[in-house]
PDB file of all heavy atoms in Angstrom:
ATOM      1  N   LYS A  42      -0.885  10.522  14.869  1.00 78.00           N
ATOM      2  CA  LYS A  42       0.551  10.747  15.069  1.00 78.00           C
ATOM      3  C   LYS A  42       1.191   9.667  15.905  1.00 78.00           C
ATOM      4  O   LYS A  42       2.248   9.143  15.579  1.00 78.00           O
ATOM      5  CB  LYS A  42       0.768  12.133  15.714  1.00 78.00           C
ATOM      6  CG  LYS A  42       2.222  12.459  15.958  1.00 78.00           C
ATOM      7  CD  LYS A  42       2.360  13.835  16.590  1.00 78.00           C
ATOM      8  CE  LYS A  42       3.826  14.195  16.829  1.00 78.00           C
ATOM      9  NZ  LYS A  42       3.964  15.538  17.435  1.00 78.00           N
ATOM     10  N   GLN A  60     -14.192  -4.193   9.889  1.00 76.00           N
ATOM     11  CA  GLN A  60     -15.582  -4.092   9.499  1.00 76.00           C
ATOM     12  C   GLN A  60     -16.283  -2.943  10.232  1.00 76.00           C
ATOM     13  O   GLN A  60     -17.129  -2.244   9.677  1.00 76.00           O
ATOM     14  CB  GLN A  60     -16.307  -5.411   9.760  1.00 76.00           C
ATOM     15  CG  GLN A  60     -15.817  -6.530   8.807  1.00 76.00           C
ATOM     16  CD  GLN A  60     -16.443  -7.871   9.141  1.00 76.00           C
ATOM     17  OE1 GLN A  60     -17.167  -8.007  10.139  1.00 76.00           O
ATOM     18  NE2 GLN A  60     -16.195  -8.865   8.277  1.00 76.00           N
ATOM     19  N   GLU A 124       5.126  19.600 -13.528  1.00 79.00           N
ATOM     20  CA  GLU A 124       4.730  20.988 -13.629  1.00 79.00           C
ATOM     21  C   GLU A 124       5.562  21.864 -12.701  1.00 79.00           C
ATOM     22  O   GLU A 124       5.971  22.964 -13.062  1.00 79.00           O
ATOM     23  CB  GLU A 124       3.244  21.093 -13.302  1.00 79.00           C
ATOM     24  CG  GLU A 124       2.360  20.419 -14.356  1.00 79.00           C
ATOM     25  CD  GLU A 124       0.893  20.460 -13.933  1.00 79.00           C
ATOM     26  OE1 GLU A 124       0.617  20.928 -12.797  1.00 79.00           O
ATOM     27  OE2 GLU A 124       0.042  19.992 -14.714  1.00 79.00           O
ATOM     28  N   LEU A 130      12.144  25.603 -13.427  1.00 85.00           N
ATOM     29  CA  LEU A 130      13.111  25.852 -14.503  1.00 85.00           C
ATOM     30  C   LEU A 130      12.903  27.243 -15.096  1.00 85.00           C
ATOM     31  O   LEU A 130      13.860  27.966 -15.358  1.00 85.00           O
ATOM     32  CB  LEU A 130      12.962  24.765 -15.562  1.00 85.00           C
ATOM     33  CG  LEU A 130      13.906  24.878 -16.778  1.00 85.00           C
ATOM     34  CD1 LEU A 130      15.361  24.829 -16.331  1.00 85.00           C
ATOM     35  CD2 LEU A 130      13.595  23.767 -17.802  1.00 85.00           C
ATOM     36  N   ALA A 140      20.530  37.895 -13.472  1.00 88.00           N
ATOM     37  CA  ALA A 140      21.876  37.888 -12.967  1.00 88.00           C
ATOM     38  C   ALA A 140      22.879  38.330 -14.033  1.00 88.00           C
ATOM     39  O   ALA A 140      23.847  39.074 -13.756  1.00 88.00           O
ATOM     40  CB  ALA A 140      22.250  36.514 -12.442  1.00 88.00           C
ATOM     41  N   SER A 174      59.577  64.967  -0.676  1.00 87.00           N
ATOM     42  CA  SER A 174      60.594  66.011  -0.746  1.00 87.00           C
ATOM     43  C   SER A 174      60.524  66.899   0.490  1.00 87.00           C
ATOM     44  O   SER A 174      61.534  67.247   1.119  1.00 87.00           O
ATOM     45  CB  SER A 174      60.396  66.863  -2.002  1.00 87.00           C
ATOM     46  OG  SER A 174      61.338  67.930  -2.043  1.00 87.00           O
ATOM     47  N   ARG A 185      69.396  68.693  12.706  1.00 89.00           N
ATOM     48  CA  ARG A 185      70.121  69.837  13.261  1.00 89.00           C
ATOM     49  C   ARG A 185      69.578  70.223  14.637  1.00 89.00           C
ATOM     50  O   ARG A 185      70.352  70.489  15.561  1.00 89.00           O
ATOM     51  CB  ARG A 185      70.002  71.024  12.282  1.00 89.00           C
ATOM     52  CG  ARG A 185      70.814  70.871  11.017  1.00 89.00           C
ATOM     53  CD  ARG A 185      70.901  72.199  10.268  1.00 89.00           C
ATOM     54  NE  ARG A 185      69.560  72.657   9.819  1.00 89.00           N
ATOM     55  CZ  ARG A 185      69.013  72.333   8.647  1.00 89.00           C
ATOM     56  NH1 ARG A 185      69.669  71.536   7.805  1.00 89.00           N
ATOM     57  NH2 ARG A 185      67.837  72.809   8.311  1.00 89.00           N
ATOM     58  N   ARG A 209      72.872  64.978  47.866  1.00 85.00           N
ATOM     59  CA  ARG A 209      73.034  63.715  48.590  1.00 85.00           C
ATOM     60  C   ARG A 209      73.977  63.886  49.785  1.00 85.00           C
ATOM     61  O   ARG A 209      73.739  63.322  50.859  1.00 85.00           O
ATOM     62  CB  ARG A 209      73.541  62.619  47.654  1.00 85.00           C
ATOM     63  CG  ARG A 209      72.488  62.063  46.705  1.00 85.00           C
ATOM     64  CD  ARG A 209      72.964  60.777  46.073  1.00 85.00           C
ATOM     65  NE  ARG A 209      74.177  61.009  45.252  1.00 85.00           N
ATOM     66  CZ  ARG A 209      74.132  61.333  43.967  1.00 85.00           C
ATOM     67  NH1 ARG A 209      72.969  61.529  43.362  1.00 85.00           N
ATOM     68  NH2 ARG A 209      75.259  61.512  43.291  1.00 85.00           N
ATOM     69  N   ALA A 218      72.826  63.717  61.460  1.00 77.00           N
ATOM     70  CA  ALA A 218      72.555  64.594  62.608  1.00 77.00           C
ATOM     71  C   ALA A 218      71.216  64.256  63.247  1.00 77.00           C
ATOM     72  O   ALA A 218      71.090  64.204  64.476  1.00 77.00           O
ATOM     73  CB  ALA A 218      72.581  66.047  62.129  1.00 77.00           C
ATOM     74  N   ALA A 250      53.606  42.887  99.250  1.00 77.00           N
ATOM     75  CA  ALA A 250      54.145  41.891 100.170  1.00 77.00           C
ATOM     76  C   ALA A 250      53.905  42.295 101.620  1.00 77.00           C
ATOM     77  O   ALA A 250      53.550  41.478 102.467  1.00 77.00           O
ATOM     78  CB  ALA A 250      55.656  41.724  99.923  1.00 77.00           C
ATOM     79  N   GLU A 257      48.445  38.075 106.798  1.00 67.00           N
ATOM     80  CA  GLU A 257      48.842  36.743 107.252  1.00 67.00           C
ATOM     81  C   GLU A 257      49.033  36.732 108.754  1.00 67.00           C
ATOM     82  O   GLU A 257      48.632  35.761 109.446  1.00 67.00           O
ATOM     83  CB  GLU A 257      50.112  36.329 106.512  1.00 67.00           C
ATOM     84  CG  GLU A 257      50.633  34.946 106.859  1.00 67.00           C
ATOM     85  CD  GLU A 257      49.751  33.843 106.256  1.00 67.00           C
ATOM     86  OE1 GLU A 257      49.000  34.169 105.314  1.00 67.00           O
ATOM     87  OE2 GLU A 257      49.786  32.718 106.754  1.00 67.00           O
ATOM     88  N   PRO A 261      46.900  44.193 113.963  1.00 57.00           N
ATOM     89  CA  PRO A 261      45.891  45.262 114.048  1.00 57.00           C
ATOM     90  C   PRO A 261      46.468  46.564 113.525  1.00 57.00           C
ATOM     91  O   PRO A 261      47.675  46.783 113.563  1.00 57.00           O
ATOM     92  CB  PRO A 261      45.610  45.376 115.545  1.00 57.00           C
ATOM     93  CG  PRO A 261      46.871  44.913 116.196  1.00 57.00           C
ATOM     94  CD  PRO A 261      47.446  43.834 115.298  1.00 57.00           C
ATOM     95  N   THR A 280      58.685  34.154  99.181  1.00 53.00           N
ATOM     96  CA  THR A 280      59.235  34.176  97.827  1.00 53.00           C
ATOM     97  C   THR A 280      58.830  32.901  97.098  1.00 53.00           C
ATOM     98  O   THR A 280      58.356  31.932  97.711  1.00 53.00           O
ATOM     99  CB  THR A 280      60.768  34.256  97.865  1.00 53.00           C
ATOM    100  OG1 THR A 280      61.276  33.029  98.425  1.00 53.00           O
ATOM    101  CG2 THR A 280      61.216  35.428  98.725  1.00 53.00           C
ATOM    102  N   ASN A 314      56.488  25.651  73.705  1.00 93.00           N
ATOM    103  CA  ASN A 314      56.912  24.560  74.556  1.00 93.00           C
ATOM    104  C   ASN A 314      55.684  23.938  75.237  1.00 93.00           C
ATOM    105  O   ASN A 314      55.585  22.711  75.383  1.00 93.00           O
ATOM    106  CB  ASN A 314      57.917  25.053  75.606  1.00 93.00           C
ATOM    107  CG  ASN A 314      58.516  23.944  76.433  1.00 93.00           C
ATOM    108  OD1 ASN A 314      57.923  23.502  77.414  1.00 93.00           O
ATOM    109  ND2 ASN A 314      59.675  23.442  76.016  1.00 93.00           N
ATOM    110  N   LEU A 325      49.680  25.430  64.172  1.00 89.00           N
ATOM    111  CA  LEU A 325      50.263  26.421  65.077  1.00 89.00           C
ATOM    112  C   LEU A 325      49.270  27.519  65.426  1.00 89.00           C
ATOM    113  O   LEU A 325      49.199  27.969  66.578  1.00 89.00           O
ATOM    114  CB  LEU A 325      51.509  27.050  64.447  1.00 89.00           C
ATOM    115  CG  LEU A 325      52.731  26.112  64.307  1.00 89.00           C
ATOM    116  CD1 LEU A 325      53.897  26.866  63.702  1.00 89.00           C
ATOM    117  CD2 LEU A 325      53.133  25.545  65.665  1.00 89.00           C
ATOM    118  N   LEU A 336      45.051  31.039  79.173  1.00 94.00           N
ATOM    119  CA  LEU A 336      45.820  31.998  79.957  1.00 94.00           C
ATOM    120  C   LEU A 336      44.972  33.227  80.296  1.00 94.00           C
ATOM    121  O   LEU A 336      45.161  33.811  81.372  1.00 94.00           O
ATOM    122  CB  LEU A 336      47.050  32.423  79.186  1.00 94.00           C
ATOM    123  CG  LEU A 336      48.130  31.352  78.995  1.00 94.00           C
ATOM    124  CD1 LEU A 336      49.295  31.896  78.165  1.00 94.00           C
ATOM    125  CD2 LEU A 336      48.656  30.877  80.375  1.00 94.00           C
ATOM    126  N   LEU A 339      42.951  32.281  83.275  1.00 93.00           N
ATOM    127  CA  LEU A 339      43.831  32.145  84.432  1.00 93.00           C
ATOM    128  C   LEU A 339      44.233  33.525  84.941  1.00 93.00           C
ATOM    129  O   LEU A 339      44.271  33.765  86.164  1.00 93.00           O
ATOM    130  CB  LEU A 339      45.052  31.328  84.058  1.00 93.00           C
ATOM    131  CG  LEU A 339      46.062  31.046  85.196  1.00 93.00           C
ATOM    132  CD1 LEU A 339      45.386  30.223  86.284  1.00 93.00           C
ATOM    133  CD2 LEU A 339      47.279  30.310  84.635  1.00 93.00           C
ATOM    134  N   VAL A 347      50.582  38.253  83.159  1.00 95.00           N
ATOM    135  CA  VAL A 347      50.855  37.073  82.349  1.00 95.00           C
ATOM    136  C   VAL A 347      51.450  37.527  81.025  1.00 95.00           C
ATOM    137  O   VAL A 347      50.883  38.368  80.340  1.00 95.00           O
ATOM    138  CB  VAL A 347      49.572  36.227  82.119  1.00 95.00           C
ATOM    139  CG1 VAL A 347      49.916  35.015  81.240  1.00 95.00           C
ATOM    140  CG2 VAL A 347      48.976  35.808  83.425  1.00 95.00           C
ATOM    141  N   ARG A 369      49.830  39.437  77.800  1.00 93.00           N
ATOM    142  CA  ARG A 369      50.740  40.093  76.897  1.00 93.00           C
ATOM    143  C   ARG A 369      51.355  39.028  75.981  1.00 93.00           C
ATOM    144  O   ARG A 369      51.872  38.019  76.447  1.00 93.00           O
ATOM    145  CB  ARG A 369      51.855  40.806  77.675  1.00 93.00           C
ATOM    146  CG  ARG A 369      52.831  41.553  76.762  1.00 93.00           C
ATOM    147  CD  ARG A 369      54.021  42.115  77.560  1.00 93.00           C
ATOM    148  NE  ARG A 369      53.614  43.074  78.558  1.00 93.00           N
ATOM    149  CZ  ARG A 369      53.611  42.844  79.880  1.00 93.00           C
ATOM    150  NH1 ARG A 369      53.997  41.652  80.347  1.00 93.00           N
ATOM    151  NH2 ARG A 369      53.226  43.766  80.733  1.00 93.00           N
ATOM    152  N   LEU A 386      63.506  38.936  79.492  1.00 93.00           N
ATOM    153  CA  LEU A 386      62.378  39.434  80.290  1.00 93.00           C
ATOM    154  C   LEU A 386      62.615  39.142  81.770  1.00 93.00           C
ATOM    155  O   LEU A 386      62.257  39.980  82.625  1.00 93.00           O
ATOM    156  CB  LEU A 386      61.087  38.734  79.824  1.00 93.00           C
ATOM    157  CG  LEU A 386      60.543  39.146  78.465  1.00 93.00           C
ATOM    158  CD1 LEU A 386      59.406  38.227  78.034  1.00 93.00           C
ATOM    159  CD2 LEU A 386      60.064  40.599  78.479  1.00 93.00           C
ATOM    160  N   ARG A 388      65.579  38.979  83.294  1.00 91.00           N
ATOM    161  CA  ARG A 388      66.628  39.887  83.771  1.00 91.00           C
ATOM    162  C   ARG A 388      66.082  41.324  83.891  1.00 91.00           C
ATOM    163  O   ARG A 388      66.616  42.128  84.661  1.00 91.00           O
ATOM    164  CB  ARG A 388      67.824  39.850  82.835  1.00 91.00           C
ATOM    165  CG  ARG A 388      68.607  38.540  82.898  1.00 91.00           C
ATOM    166  CD  ARG A 388      69.948  38.680  82.217  1.00 91.00           C
ATOM    167  NE  ARG A 388      69.815  39.018  80.797  1.00 91.00           N
ATOM    168  CZ  ARG A 388      69.750  38.114  79.824  1.00 91.00           C
ATOM    169  NH1 ARG A 388      69.794  36.817  80.126  1.00 91.00           N
ATOM    170  NH2 ARG A 388      69.655  38.494  78.576  1.00 91.00           N
ATOM    171  N   GLY A 393      63.808  40.938  93.662  1.00 84.00           N
ATOM    172  CA  GLY A 393      62.818  40.831  94.712  1.00 84.00           C
ATOM    173  C   GLY A 393      61.421  40.584  94.199  1.00 84.00           C
ATOM    174  O   GLY A 393      60.547  40.185  94.962  1.00 84.00           O
TER     175      GLY A 393
END
Side-chain angles (χ1 to χ4, degrees):
K42 180 178 180 180
Q60 291 175 355
E124 292 175 356
L130 179 59
S174 177
R185 288 193 297 270
R209 283 195 298 271
E257 182 72 19
T280 66
N314 187 276
L325 291 181
L336 291 178
L339 183 62
V347 179
R369 182 187 298 107
L386 289 170
R388 291 194 298 270

